[in-house]
Amino acid sequence: MKLSFVLATAISSFFVSSTTGFAFSGQAQALTFSGISSATWGNPTPGSTDTNPIYTGVGSNTFTWGKANSSSGLPNKLTSYGTSFSADINSVFKIADLTYFNGKIGTDTGIGFVPLNLNVSFSPPVETSQVFDFNLRLVNTLNDPNDPEKSADLVFLDTNLSNRSFTFGSNKYTLELTGFNLDGRQISIKALEEATTTTAIYAKIKTIPEPAPLAGLSLLGIYLISRKNSWKKNTKSL
């Protein structure tokens, strides 16, 4: 009788947990996120050949790196601008704008990676602010005076940095950068020598699934253990 009660409680809790999980999931899918973003650059990481890295702009929205090859030349430069946004779950939206100038610099004065720190302030009902860290990989190529395309330098999105999740209510979400275009297929941009490229950075907010049925499964486990112990006890009594 007691075991039947435990089993009934476990099964009931399992279905209640599952139903509650589905309800929370439905609420999450219906939620629209809106707000405004701003961007700053973090401390860069030199590449393997960057023995004399030179850079400025950590903590600001404009980052430069490298030593110009001539007195009239300019270093490489990245400038990021925040923007306002409004998007549903799993919808791609613009999270920032990016301008990239490709200067002529010494081969050993560059860097390999620079963090992009996006400060996102969500409007109600979320009404919270959080910094999301991402990484950009910078590819500085050797210049070929006969081929401008080969002399172009590139910037890649590197999404290996974490700290991209946040919590609202009882649900967890993640902010992911998807690329430099709406369909997410473009993960790099390039600029010819001493030329500028301007683009947008796109993102997506996704729900992190919650293991809602675990509580019910735990109670089923308790029932099975209780049944096993009861069986052992009855066996010893025989």
Side-chain angles (χ1 to χ4, degrees), residues 47-81:
S48 58
T49 60
D50 302 323
T51 57
N52 183 33
I54 296 174
Y55 56 88
T56 66
V58 174
S60 73
N61 75 316
T62 298
F63 181 80
T64 72
W65 71 98
K67 181 180 180 181
N69 284 337
S70 64
S71 57
S72 60
L74 296 172
N76 295 322
K77 182 170 69 173
L78 282 171
T79 305
S80 185
Y81 305 93

mmCIF file of all heavy atoms in Angstrom, residues 47-81:
data_model
loop_
_atom_site.group_PDB
_atom_site.id
_atom_site.type_symbol
_atom_site.label_atom_id
_atom_site.label_comp_id
_atom_site.label_asym_id
_atom_site.label_seq_id
_atom_site.Cartn_x
_atom_site.Cartn_y
_atom_site.Cartn_z
ATOM 1 N N GLY A 47 49.130 37.013 -32.027
ATOM 2 C CA GLY A 47 49.311 35.776 -32.757
ATOM 3 C C GLY A 47 50.729 35.256 -32.586
ATOM 4 O O GLY A 47 51.575 35.899 -31.951
ATOM 5 N N SER A 48 51.024 34.107 -33.162
ATOM 6 C CA SER A 48 52.335 33.470 -32.981
ATOM 7 C C SER A 48 53.476 34.298 -33.565
ATOM 8 O O SER A 48 54.618 34.210 -33.099
ATOM 9 C CB SER A 48 52.317 32.073 -33.618
ATOM 10 O OG SER A 48 51.998 32.164 -34.994
ATOM 11 N N THR A 49 53.211 35.116 -34.587
ATOM 12 C CA THR A 49 54.268 35.922 -35.219
ATOM 13 C C THR A 49 54.255 37.372 -34.752
ATOM 14 O O THR A 49 55.080 38.173 -35.206
ATOM 15 C CB THR A 49 54.113 35.895 -36.752
ATOM 16 O OG1 THR A 49 52.840 36.442 -37.112
ATOM 17 C CG2 THR A 49 54.219 34.469 -37.284
ATOM 18 N N ASP A 50 53.343 37.691 -33.837
ATOM 19 C CA ASP A 50 53.235 39.076 -33.365
ATOM 20 C C ASP A 50 54.154 39.283 -32.159
ATOM 21 O O ASP A 50 53.719 39.297 -31.006
ATOM 22 C CB ASP A 50 51.783 39.400 -32.989
ATOM 23 C CG ASP A 50 50.836 39.192 -34.147
ATOM 24 O OD1 ASP A 50 51.230 39.480 -35.285
ATOM 25 O OD2 ASP A 50 49.695 38.738 -33.909
ATOM 26 N N THR A 51 55.446 39.451 -32.446
ATOM 27 C CA THR A 51 56.437 39.565 -31.374
ATOM 28 C C THR A 51 56.493 40.956 -30.758
ATOM 29 O O THR A 51 57.039 41.136 -29.675
ATOM 30 C CB THR A 51 57.835 39.186 -31.905
ATOM 31 O OG1 THR A 51 58.146 40.026 -33.029
ATOM 32 C CG2 THR A 51 57.864 37.727 -32.350
ATOM 33 N N ASN A 52 55.930 41.935 -31.448
ATOM 34 C CA ASN A 52 55.931 43.315 -30.941
ATOM 35 C C ASN A 52 54.548 43.934 -31.130
ATOM 36 O O ASN A 52 54.380 44.913 -31.870
ATOM 37 C CB ASN A 52 56.989 44.154 -31.670
ATOM 38 C CG ASN A 52 57.087 45.570 -31.122
ATOM 39 O OD1 ASN A 52 56.889 45.799 -29.927
ATOM 40 N ND2 ASN A 52 57.381 46.526 -31.999
ATOM 41 N N PRO A 53 53.524 43.364 -30.465
ATOM 42 C CA PRO A 53 52.148 43.845 -30.682
ATOM 43 C C PRO A 53 51.960 45.280 -30.200
ATOM 44 O O PRO A 53 52.417 45.655 -29.122
ATOM 45 C CB PRO A 53 51.307 42.866 -29.861
ATOM 46 C CG PRO A 53 52.240 42.341 -28.811
ATOM 47 C CD PRO A 53 53.583 42.291 -29.463
ATOM 48 N N ILE A 54 51.280 46.062 -31.022
ATOM 49 C CA ILE A 54 50.980 47.456 -30.691
ATOM 50 C C ILE A 54 49.475 47.660 -30.884
ATOM 51 O O ILE A 54 48.924 47.309 -31.930
ATOM 52 C CB ILE A 54 51.769 48.424 -31.598
ATOM 53 C CG1 ILE A 54 53.276 48.264 -31.360
ATOM 54 C CG2 ILE A 54 51.342 49.869 -31.351
ATOM 55 C CD1 ILE A 54 54.128 49.073 -32.320
ATOM 56 N N TYR A 55 48.826 48.238 -29.880
ATOM 57 C CA TYR A 55 47.378 48.423 -29.976
ATOM 58 C C TYR A 55 46.915 49.540 -29.043
ATOM 59 O O TYR A 55 47.614 49.902 -28.078
ATOM 60 C CB TYR A 55 46.631 47.125 -29.649
ATOM 61 C CG TYR A 55 46.968 46.538 -28.302
ATOM 62 C CD1 TYR A 55 46.264 46.918 -27.149
ATOM 63 C CD2 TYR A 55 47.980 45.587 -28.169
ATOM 64 C CE1 TYR A 55 46.565 46.372 -25.916
ATOM 65 C CE2 TYR A 55 48.291 45.036 -26.943
ATOM 66 C CZ TYR A 55 47.581 45.431 -25.819
ATOM 67 O OH TYR A 55 47.895 44.899 -24.590
ATOM 68 N N THR A 56 45.744 50.081 -29.318
ATOM 69 C CA THR A 56 45.109 51.086 -28.470
ATOM 70 C C THR A 56 43.603 50.825 -28.455
ATOM 71 O O THR A 56 43.072 50.120 -29.314
ATOM 72 C CB THR A 56 45.345 52.523 -28.998
ATOM 73 O OG1 THR A 56 44.662 52.670 -30.256
ATOM 74 C CG2 THR A 56 46.823 52.800 -29.203
ATOM 75 N N GLY A 57 42.928 51.416 -27.467
ATOM 76 C CA GLY A 57 41.468 51.407 -27.468
ATOM 77 C C GLY A 57 40.794 50.379 -26.605
ATOM 78 O O GLY A 57 39.561 50.221 -26.697
ATOM 79 N N VAL A 58 41.527 49.661 -25.738
ATOM 80 C CA VAL A 58 40.882 48.705 -24.839
ATOM 81 C C VAL A 58 39.922 49.457 -23.914
ATOM 82 O O VAL A 58 40.283 50.460 -23.304
ATOM 83 C CB VAL A 58 41.926 47.931 -24.008
ATOM 84 C CG1 VAL A 58 41.239 47.046 -22.960
ATOM 85 C CG2 VAL A 58 42.805 47.094 -24.911
ATOM 86 N N GLY A 59 38.686 49.003 -23.847
ATOM 87 C CA GLY A 59 37.681 49.650 -23.017
ATOM 88 C C GLY A 59 36.867 50.700 -23.745
ATOM 89 O O GLY A 59 35.932 51.262 -23.177
ATOM 90 N N SER A 60 37.196 50.957 -25.012
ATOM 91 C CA SER A 60 36.428 51.914 -25.816
ATOM 92 C C SER A 60 35.792 51.187 -26.989
ATOM 93 O O SER A 60 35.979 49.986 -27.165
ATOM 94 C CB SER A 60 37.342 53.043 -26.319
ATOM 95 O OG SER A 60 38.194 52.571 -27.350
ATOM 96 N N ASN A 61 35.081 51.923 -27.836
ATOM 97 C CA ASN A 61 34.427 51.272 -28.968
ATOM 98 C C ASN A 61 35.284 51.325 -30.240
ATOM 99 O O ASN A 61 34.870 50.821 -31.285
ATOM 100 C CB ASN A 61 33.059 51.901 -29.235
ATOM 101 C CG ASN A 61 33.153 53.254 -29.914
ATOM 102 O OD1 ASN A 61 33.988 54.070 -29.524
ATOM 103 N ND2 ASN A 61 32.306 53.505 -30.891
ATOM 104 N N THR A 62 36.477 51.931 -30.148
ATOM 105 C CA THR A 62 37.398 51.995 -31.288
ATOM 106 C C THR A 62 38.718 51.360 -30.902
ATOM 107 O O THR A 62 39.354 51.773 -29.920
ATOM 108 C CB THR A 62 37.624 53.447 -31.742
ATOM 109 O OG1 THR A 62 36.380 54.009 -32.168
ATOM 110 C CG2 THR A 62 38.602 53.498 -32.903
ATOM 111 N N PHE A 63 39.127 50.363 -31.668
ATOM 112 C CA PHE A 63 40.340 49.599 -31.369
ATOM 113 C C PHE A 63 41.285 49.667 -32.574
ATOM 114 O O PHE A 63 40.868 49.432 -33.706
ATOM 115 C CB PHE A 63 39.968 48.144 -31.063
ATOM 116 C CG PHE A 63 41.134 47.279 -30.715
ATOM 117 C CD1 PHE A 63 41.678 47.296 -29.440
ATOM 118 C CD2 PHE A 63 41.698 46.448 -31.670
ATOM 119 C CE1 PHE A 63 42.752 46.496 -29.114
ATOM 120 C CE2 PHE A 63 42.781 45.643 -31.354
ATOM 121 C CZ PHE A 63 43.307 45.667 -30.071
ATOM 122 N N THR A 64 42.548 49.998 -32.330
ATOM 123 C CA THR A 64 43.551 50.017 -33.398
ATOM 124 C C THR A 64 44.675 49.052 -33.057
ATOM 125 O O THR A 64 44.954 48.788 -31.878
ATOM 126 C CB THR A 64 44.141 51.424 -33.607
ATOM 127 O OG1 THR A 64 44.996 51.751 -32.494
ATOM 128 C CG2 THR A 64 43.048 52.466 -33.748
ATOM 129 N N TRP A 65 45.323 48.528 -34.082
ATOM 130 C CA TRP A 65 46.466 47.658 -33.838
ATOM 131 C C TRP A 65 47.464 47.751 -34.997
ATOM 132 O O TRP A 65 47.101 48.032 -36.134
ATOM 133 C CB TRP A 65 46.038 46.214 -33.617
ATOM 134 C CG TRP A 65 45.522 45.486 -34.824
ATOM 135 C CD1 TRP A 65 46.216 44.624 -35.624
ATOM 136 C CD2 TRP A 65 44.200 45.554 -35.378
ATOM 137 N NE1 TRP A 65 45.426 44.135 -36.637
ATOM 138 C CE2 TRP A 65 44.183 44.693 -36.508
ATOM 139 C CE3 TRP A 65 43.050 46.251 -35.047
ATOM 140 C CZ2 TRP A 65 43.044 44.521 -37.288
ATOM 141 C CZ3 TRP A 65 41.915 46.085 -35.818
ATOM 142 C CH2 TRP A 65 41.919 45.217 -36.925
ATOM 143 N N GLY A 66 48.736 47.516 -34.637
ATOM 144 C CA GLY A 66 49.807 47.541 -35.617
ATOM 145 C C GLY A 66 50.477 48.903 -35.732
ATOM 146 O O GLY A 66 49.885 49.935 -35.422
ATOM 147 N N LYS A 67 51.713 48.895 -36.202
ATOM 148 C CA LYS A 67 52.468 50.120 -36.463
ATOM 149 C C LYS A 67 52.485 50.369 -37.960
ATOM 150 O O LYS A 67 52.885 49.516 -38.740
ATOM 151 C CB LYS A 67 53.896 49.996 -35.932
ATOM 152 C CG LYS A 67 54.737 51.250 -36.139
ATOM 153 C CD LYS A 67 56.145 51.069 -35.585
ATOM 154 C CE LYS A 67 56.971 52.335 -35.810
ATOM 155 N NZ LYS A 67 58.355 52.168 -35.290
ATOM 156 N N ALA A 68 52.014 51.542 -38.372
ATOM 157 C CA ALA A 68 51.945 51.876 -39.796
ATOM 158 C C ALA A 68 53.332 51.825 -40.429
ATOM 159 O O ALA A 68 54.335 52.197 -39.811
ATOM 160 C CB ALA A 68 51.327 53.251 -39.980
ATOM 161 N N ASN A 69 53.384 51.367 -41.658
ATOM 162 C CA ASN A 69 54.669 51.241 -42.371
ATOM 163 C C ASN A 69 55.252 52.578 -42.780
ATOM 164 O O ASN A 69 56.455 52.670 -43.066
ATOM 165 C CB ASN A 69 54.492 50.366 -43.614
ATOM 166 C CG ASN A 69 54.393 48.890 -43.270
ATOM 167 O OD1 ASN A 69 54.853 48.455 -42.214
ATOM 168 N ND2 ASN A 69 53.787 48.106 -44.152
ATOM 169 N N SER A 70 54.452 53.611 -42.844
ATOM 170 C CA SER A 70 54.949 54.930 -43.247
ATOM 171 C C SER A 70 54.445 55.987 -42.281
ATOM 172 O O SER A 70 53.468 55.775 -41.549
ATOM 173 C CB SER A 70 54.489 55.267 -44.671
ATOM 174 O OG SER A 70 53.081 55.373 -44.727
ATOM 175 N N SER A 71 55.110 57.139 -42.292
ATOM 176 C CA SER A 71 54.745 58.211 -41.372
ATOM 177 C C SER A 71 53.348 58.756 -41.669
ATOM 178 O O SER A 71 52.674 59.288 -40.782
ATOM 179 C CB SER A 71 55.768 59.347 -41.464
ATOM 180 O OG SER A 71 55.847 59.822 -42.800
ATOM 181 N N SER A 72 52.899 58.633 -42.904
ATOM 182 C CA SER A 72 51.572 59.130 -43.275
ATOM 183 C C SER A 72 50.506 58.040 -43.230
ATOM 184 O O SER A 72 49.328 58.311 -43.483
ATOM 185 C CB SER A 72 51.621 59.732 -44.685
ATOM 186 O OG SER A 72 52.019 58.742 -45.630
ATOM 187 N N GLY A 73 50.933 56.816 -42.948
ATOM 188 C CA GLY A 73 49.995 55.702 -42.926
ATOM 189 C C GLY A 73 49.220 55.610 -41.627
ATOM 190 O O GLY A 73 49.498 56.303 -40.644
ATOM 191 N N LEU A 74 48.229 54.726 -41.608
ATOM 192 C CA LEU A 74 47.383 54.522 -40.433
ATOM 193 C C LEU A 74 47.384 53.044 -40.049
ATOM 194 O O LEU A 74 47.536 52.162 -40.900
ATOM 195 C CB LEU A 74 45.938 54.964 -40.725
ATOM 196 C CG LEU A 74 45.731 56.451 -41.027
ATOM 197 C CD1 LEU A 74 44.296 56.689 -41.484
ATOM 198 C CD2 LEU A 74 46.040 57.286 -39.791
ATOM 199 N N PRO A 75 47.210 52.749 -38.762
ATOM 200 C CA PRO A 75 47.119 51.354 -38.331
ATOM 201 C C PRO A 75 45.766 50.761 -38.688
ATOM 202 O O PRO A 75 44.861 51.457 -39.155
ATOM 203 C CB PRO A 75 47.303 51.444 -36.818
ATOM 204 C CG PRO A 75 46.742 52.788 -36.468
ATOM 205 C CD PRO A 75 47.089 53.689 -37.633
ATOM 206 N N ASN A 76 45.604 49.466 -38.453
ATOM 207 C CA ASN A 76 44.293 48.821 -38.608
ATOM 208 C C ASN A 76 43.341 49.373 -37.545
ATOM 209 O O ASN A 76 43.754 49.734 -36.434
ATOM 210 C CB ASN A 76 44.410 47.314 -38.445
ATOM 211 C CG ASN A 76 45.247 46.677 -39.539
ATOM 212 O OD1 ASN A 76 45.181 47.091 -40.688
ATOM 213 N ND2 ASN A 76 46.026 45.665 -39.178
ATOM 214 N N LYS A 77 42.052 49.367 -37.868
ATOM 215 C CA LYS A 77 41.093 49.916 -36.907
ATOM 216 C C LYS A 77 39.749 49.203 -37.000
ATOM 217 O O LYS A 77 39.253 48.947 -38.097
ATOM 218 C CB LYS A 77 40.901 51.418 -37.143
ATOM 219 C CG LYS A 77 39.946 52.076 -36.142
ATOM 220 C CD LYS A 77 39.968 53.596 -36.244
ATOM 221 C CE LYS A 77 39.367 54.097 -37.518
ATOM 222 N NZ LYS A 77 39.238 55.582 -37.518
ATOM 223 N N LEU A 78 39.194 48.884 -35.838
ATOM 224 C CA LEU A 78 37.841 48.351 -35.724
ATOM 225 C C LEU A 78 37.014 49.285 -34.852
ATOM 226 O O LEU A 78 37.434 49.651 -33.747
ATOM 227 C CB LEU A 78 37.850 46.958 -35.094
ATOM 228 C CG LEU A 78 38.244 45.766 -35.968
ATOM 229 C CD1 LEU A 78 38.406 44.522 -35.101
ATOM 230 C CD2 LEU A 78 37.211 45.525 -37.061
ATOM 231 N N THR A 79 35.840 49.666 -35.344
ATOM 232 C CA THR A 79 34.927 50.495 -34.567
ATOM 233 C C THR A 79 33.567 49.812 -34.538
ATOM 234 O O THR A 79 33.037 49.422 -35.584
ATOM 235 C CB THR A 79 34.782 51.898 -35.175
ATOM 236 O OG1 THR A 79 36.074 52.485 -35.310
ATOM 237 C CG2 THR A 79 33.929 52.780 -34.282
ATOM 238 N N SER A 80 33.026 49.648 -33.331
ATOM 239 C CA SER A 80 31.735 48.987 -33.183
ATOM 240 C C SER A 80 30.731 49.941 -32.563
ATOM 241 O O SER A 80 31.045 50.677 -31.619
ATOM 242 C CB SER A 80 31.868 47.741 -32.311
ATOM 243 O OG SER A 80 30.641 47.044 -32.253
ATOM 244 N N TYR A 81 29.521 49.931 -33.118
ATOM 245 C CA TYR A 81 28.446 50.792 -32.635
ATOM 246 C C TYR A 81 27.267 49.926 -32.200
ATOM 247 O O TYR A 81 26.876 48.995 -32.902
ATOM 248 C CB TYR A 81 27.982 51.740 -33.740
ATOM 249 C CG TYR A 81 29.078 52.570 -34.360
ATOM 250 C CD1 TYR A 81 29.730 52.109 -35.508
ATOM 251 C CD2 TYR A 81 29.465 53.790 -33.818
ATOM 252 C CE1 TYR A 81 30.743 52.864 -36.092
ATOM 253 C CE2 TYR A 81 30.473 54.553 -34.398
ATOM 254 C CZ TYR A 81 31.109 54.082 -35.537
ATOM 255 O OH TYR A 81 32.114 54.814 -36.114
#
